[in-house]
Amino acid sequence: QVRLVESGGGSVQSGGSLRLSCAASRDAMTASCMGWFRQSPGKAREGVATIDRGTSATYVESVKGRFTISRNDGDFENTLVLQMDNLKPDDTGTYYCAVVRRTSSQPCLPSNGVAYWGQGIQVTVSL
């Protein structure tokens, strides 16, 4: 059974940092492509960053240079992390950990569809 549980959200002032973690079940971390998505107030849900098992990462343009995605596929702990630095008010939203769909010939991208979602966690950035 796929299980994804986010933690680490909260409120921060503009320019601050937050670190999101996603505890993933073994079934989830066998996926080759994992990612973080977000839904900001009044906007559609969007992909923020994705990472494959080779640790190749892709970011949406608005977070490049500020966010870093990483994954730990350990024997006993499977974790997906999003380090967010120099946060801006536009980064406010609900952030979701996800297992991202991909075919064998498809790259691991934030624009891909999602197979499984976490429950989401709130990030609020104030001026």
Side-chain angles (χ1 to χ4, degrees):
Q1 182 178 0
V2 174
R3 180 175 54 84
L4 302 166
V5 181
E6 301 96 339
S7 61
S11 298
V12 66
Q13 288 189 322
S14 183
S17 297
L18 284 173
R19 183 180 178 90
L20 303 182
S21 293
C22 174
S25 62
R26 283 187 173 274
D27 287 344
M29 292 303 281
T30 58
S32 64
C33 184
M34 300 285 294
W36 287 95
F37 292 69
R38 69 184 178 191
Q39 186 160 19
S40 302
K43 297 182 180 179
R45 194 173 297 188
E46 65 169 346
V48 174
T50 51
I51 186 168
D52 66 17
R53 291 186 66 84
T55 69
S56 175
T58 303
Y59 301 90
V60 68
E61 191 64 33
S62 61
V63 307
K64 284 183 179 178
R66 301 188 297 119
F67 289 13
T68 303
I69 188 171
S70 60
R71 64 188 287 173
N72 174 27
D73 298 330
D75 290 337
F76 302 103
E77 181 180 75
N78 302 311
T79 307
L80 186 70
V81 173
L82 186 68
Q83 176 66 39
M84 305 185 293
D85 298 317
N86 191 20
L87 282 160
K88 303 176 181 181
D90 284 348
D91 295 318
T92 293
T94 302
Y95 283 69
Y96 299 87
C97 174
V99 172
V100 180
R101 296 185 187 276
R102 68 181 301 191
T103 65
S104 58
S105 60
Q106 187 180 22
C108 177
L109 299 176
S111 56
N112 289 10
V114 171
Y116 298 98
W117 295 101
Q119 83 284 357
I121 193 163
Q122 181 65 33
V123 170
T124 302
V125 184
S126 59
L127 289 171

